[in-house]
Amino acid sequence: MLKNTRNILTLTTPEGISFSFPLAGPVIRMFAWLIDIIVIVGILSIIGTVLSLAGFLGSDFLNAIFLIVFFAISFGYGMVFEWFMRGQTIGKRVMRIRVMDEQGLKLKFSQVAIRNLLRLVDIMPGLYLVGGVTSLVNSNSQRLGDIAASTVVIRYYRVSEPDFDQIVGGKFNSLREYPHLAARLRQKVSPREAGIALSSLMRRDSLEPDERVNLFGEIAQHFKTKVDFPQEAIDGISDEQYIRNVVDVLFRTRVGSVA
Amino acid sequence: MIIDLKKFMKEEKPRWAELEKLLDRMESNPDDKLDLATVQRFYYLYQRASSDLAKLSTFSFDRETKRHLESLVARSFGEIHETREKAHRLSPINWFFVTLPQTFRRQIKAFWVSLLITCLGVGLGTIAIIVDYDSKSVIMPFSHLQGAPSERVAKEETSVPDDKMPGGMATFSSYLMTHNIKVSIYTMALGMTYGIGTILMLFYNGIILGAVGADYILDGQAVFLFGWLLPHGSVEIPSILLAGQAGFMLAGALIGWKNKALTVRGRLREISSDLVTIVIGLAIFLVWAGIIESFFSQFHAPVLPYSLKIALGSIQLLLLILFLTFSGREKKTKEA
């Protein structure tokens, strides 16, 4: 079963498990396409240079070879890369997007071939107008080639494991001095709120200093309304340290139970 | 309730790694057959990962781990629930002599539609030239066809083919191949306009063909016409018809001519392999036609007698018809 909600494609397995993929919009796809164009031009330039060195073969033969190579690369680039790189071209890899079957099944060669062959119609009358407009109005952001091939283009992210030790490990946590309040905090905080706290710590190094102070100030303010810890537990610690302590309490129920 | 994420991950990670390893193995070796124990283990790991994902979605909000699990479950889901025929090891000879003609015959109705539209175009082109000869300049936007056919024939029979082909025969040949394949892909792809674009392409192609034919026959140059067109046209024109066939397959899937019980998505999935087979097949035919057109069709009498060219073109057409009609047919077993 598939469902689309605001550029998110959600698939539900017969076991009742749902997983979702953010769909790639026309702009991000256009950037990927521009990168691919640069790569194609680069490949053709290299081939052109190599062929020009083989002048002894005669201009007629070399022109014929170049025409065929030009045609083959223009059409075959997308097919070959998407097939061998599991739905990605170089441009798509750079932009972190991928072609996949719209039902979550394995991508087949026929699907890759059809979506690339129908590019001819999608680029009409120029600058991907047909494909761009179609993907804007289509609920799955599909161009005509994607509709015919039953494929979608999704965004994906680099998946890294959260490093808890780096965030919370081995440091004194003043909130743990009050186990009954820590237990109440765990009870009152929803998984979504806990996730926001964790994400903010995971991404703290990517924030500008001012933004970082403001963000942790806002999040700390929110969590302070959940449970009222005594003043001595929170005195002298920064908002960021407070959130660090909150995450430690929420995600590590028994200190030392796992090393 | 929020789960102890670190403990949860420490316990489950080895199973996720095992599942990922199995998935990598299956994806890199599609022909590899897993033994029963491995399949059972794979299904167990899939269910376990699914359950972990459900647990993580309910009791935690760690996006990174959730995404990692989602990707594992999604890949496993694709492996377990894929019911379409798996890709075989590539066998070009078997594909060409069995799969291609079988696919053509399986989708023969779309081919008949393609042929009918082209014939209508040929009829209109012929009538247009007979009724209003001046319409030739509008119908045929090619400079070398604008003059009187008899003048062209006289010129062709006295010139060397290499001189009239810009860049030489090899360049001309590859130009013809790539151009015709591109036009064919357009004809197929325009099937996405519910067949309207495909109809227009075929009809216009038919009009030009009919007009050229009528023009040469009326001028008494029928022998030259067949000697010029048959060697490459006997493959090129059927290839364009195949492109039309592919276009109408697409249109048929969108409209739902064949199987109304399926959704549009289902119908498009159903024809995808056949569509690609037809397109690759016609591309091969057009490569051959390009070679013939450049290296054979452009030589006229007295270099090559028209009778030889017409005979070879006719034999080629006959062979193509026989190939598409009979190749890859399974022998009927006698019923007891």
Side-chain angles (χ1 to χ4, degrees), chain B residues 201-246:
Chain B
M201 292 288 278
L202 290 172
F203 193 66
Y204 181 60
N205 206 40
I207 288 175
I208 295 174
L209 194 63
V212 171
D215 190 24
Y216 276 71
I217 291 167
L218 288 176
D219 203 24
Q221 302 299 332
V223 176
F224 174 87
L225 175 76
F226 289 116
W228 165 48
L229 281 187
L230 262 178
H232 66 274
S234 56
V235 177
E236 190 181 290
I237 295 166
S239 301
I240 302 293
L241 294 176
L242 288 177
Q245 179 183 22

Side-chain angles (χ1 to χ4, degrees), chain A residues 156-197:
Chain A
Y156 73 96
Y157 305 93
R158 189 184 299 279
V159 180
S160 56
E161 290 173 25
D163 185 356
F164 288 98
D165 289 334
Q166 187 246 335
I167 299 167
V168 293
K171 288 175 183 158
F172 173 70
N173 185 349
S174 56
L175 304 188
R176 283 196 182 276
E177 296 295 300
Y178 304 90
H180 64 293
L181 294 177
R184 193 179 296 167
L185 182 70
R186 275 197 291 274
Q187 189 190 30
K188 284 199 164 185
V189 172
S190 69
R192 187 175 172 79
E193 288 169 320
I196 291 169

Side-chain angles (χ1 to χ4, degrees), chain B residues 91-102:
Chain B
S91 169
I93 293 179
N94 184 66
W95 176 88
F96 187 77
F97 286 102
V98 179
T99 310
L100 174 60
Q102 280 181 354

Side-chain angles (χ1 to χ4, degrees), chain A residues 180-214:
Chain A
H180 64 293
L181 294 177
R184 193 179 296 167
L185 182 70
R186 275 197 291 274
Q187 189 190 30
K188 284 199 164 185
V189 172
S190 69
R192 187 175 172 79
E193 288 169 320
I196 291 169
L198 178 62
S199 300
S200 65
L201 286 177
M202 302 287 288
R203 294 173 192 172
R204 67 193 194 283
D205 290 333
S206 62
L207 299 170
E208 293 293 324
D210 288 351
E211 284 176 357
R212 186 166 164 172
V213 170
N214 290 337

Side-chain angles (χ1 to χ4, degrees), chain A residues 32-33 35-37 39-41 43 69-93 97-100 107-120 128 143 146 149 151 153:
Chain A
W33 176 65
I35 294 169
D36 286 332
I37 293 282
V39 173
I40 290 173
V41 170
I43 295 171
V69 168
F70 178 82
F71 179 79
I73 289 176
S74 315
F75 271 95
Y77 171 84
M79 286 187 215
V80 170
F81 274 92
E82 284 176 11
W83 178 237
F84 287 106
M85 282 171 55
R86 292 187 194 166
Q88 286 190 301
T89 57
I90 291 168
K92 286 190 176 76
R93 175 160 280 197
I97 59 177
R98 174 190 295 281
V99 180
M100 63 166 262
L107 199 58
K108 307 209 98 183
F109 177 74
S110 57
Q111 292 178 291
V112 170
I114 289 171
R115 75 182 300 281
N116 278 289
L117 289 173
L118 263 72
R119 205 179 287 277
L120 266 184
Y128 263 99
R143 59 176 177 85
D146 286 318
T151 53
V153 182

Side-chain angles (χ1 to χ4, degrees), chain B residues 5-227:
Chain B
L5 198 56
K6 190 165 183 183
K7 180 173 176 250
F8 173 72
M9 281 183 66
K10 187 181 167 68
E11 284 174 357
E12 296 302 315
K13 247 186 83 176
R15 294 190 187 88
W16 300 346
E18 190 185 346
L19 178 61
E20 193 163 16
K21 206 172 157 188
L22 260 175
L23 283 167
D24 287 342
R25 181 182 151 190
M26 284 191 276
E27 285 166 357
S28 55
N29 302 304
D31 291 336
D32 192 14
K33 283 198 168 37
L34 303 178
D35 57 59
L36 185 62
T38 315
V39 172
Q40 283 172 333
R41 180 72 184 159
F42 172 62
Y43 191 61
Y44 167 75
L45 291 169
Y46 162 65
Q47 286 188 315
R48 182 116 194 177
S50 299
S51 152
D52 289 345
L53 178 59
K55 210 181 281 181
L56 212 58
S57 305
T58 315
F59 300 121
S60 178
F61 204 74
D62 172 33
R63 285 171 192 269
E64 305 300 312
T65 315
K66 194 174 163 217
R67 275 188 199 128
H68 179 62
L69 259 183
E70 277 187 336
S71 87
L72 280 182
V73 172
R75 282 167 69 193
S76 312
F77 172 79
E79 288 290 342
I80 290 170
H81 294 278
E82 179 58 84
T83 52
R84 292 172 294 178
E85 197 182 351
K86 279 201 169 186
H88 303 292
R89 202 170 283 279
L90 191 65
S91 169
I93 293 179
N94 184 66
W95 176 88
F96 187 77
F97 286 102
V98 179
T99 310
L100 174 60
Q102 280 181 354
T103 306
F104 167 77
R105 293 193 291 270
R106 192 164 46 244
Q107 303 289 349
I108 192 76
K109 277 185 188 166
F111 179 80
W112 293 133
V113 177
S114 178
L115 182 64
L116 177 71
I117 303 288
T118 305
C119 288
L120 288 174
V122 169
L124 184 68
T126 308
I127 292 167
I129 292 295
I130 294 169
V131 174
D132 178 14
Y133 190 77
D134 292 339
S135 65
K136 180 177 161 180
S137 58
V138 180
I139 294 172
M140 292 186 280
F142 310 110
S143 56
H144 66 288
L145 295 176
Q146 288 302 323
S150 50
E151 285 173 16
R152 185 192 165 201
V153 172
K155 200 174 158 190
E156 294 278 353
E157 288 177 347
T158 52
S159 65
V160 181
D162 210 14
D163 293 344
K164 63 193 175 195
M165 283 180 261
M169 277 196 281
T171 307
F172 186 56
S173 175
S174 50
Y175 166 75
L176 290 170
M177 288 173 201
T178 53
H179 173 76
N180 288 339
I181 292 172
K182 209 186 226 179
V183 170
S184 301
I185 295 172
Y186 262 121
T187 308
M188 177 279 289
L190 284 171
M192 281 303 280
T193 58
Y194 289 84
I196 294 166
T198 305
I199 289 174
L200 291 176
M201 292 288 278
L202 290 172
F203 193 66
Y204 181 60
N205 206 40
I207 288 175
I208 295 174
L209 194 63
V212 171
D215 190 24
Y216 276 71
I217 291 167
L218 288 176
D219 203 24
Q221 302 299 332
V223 176
F224 174 87
L225 175 76
F226 289 116

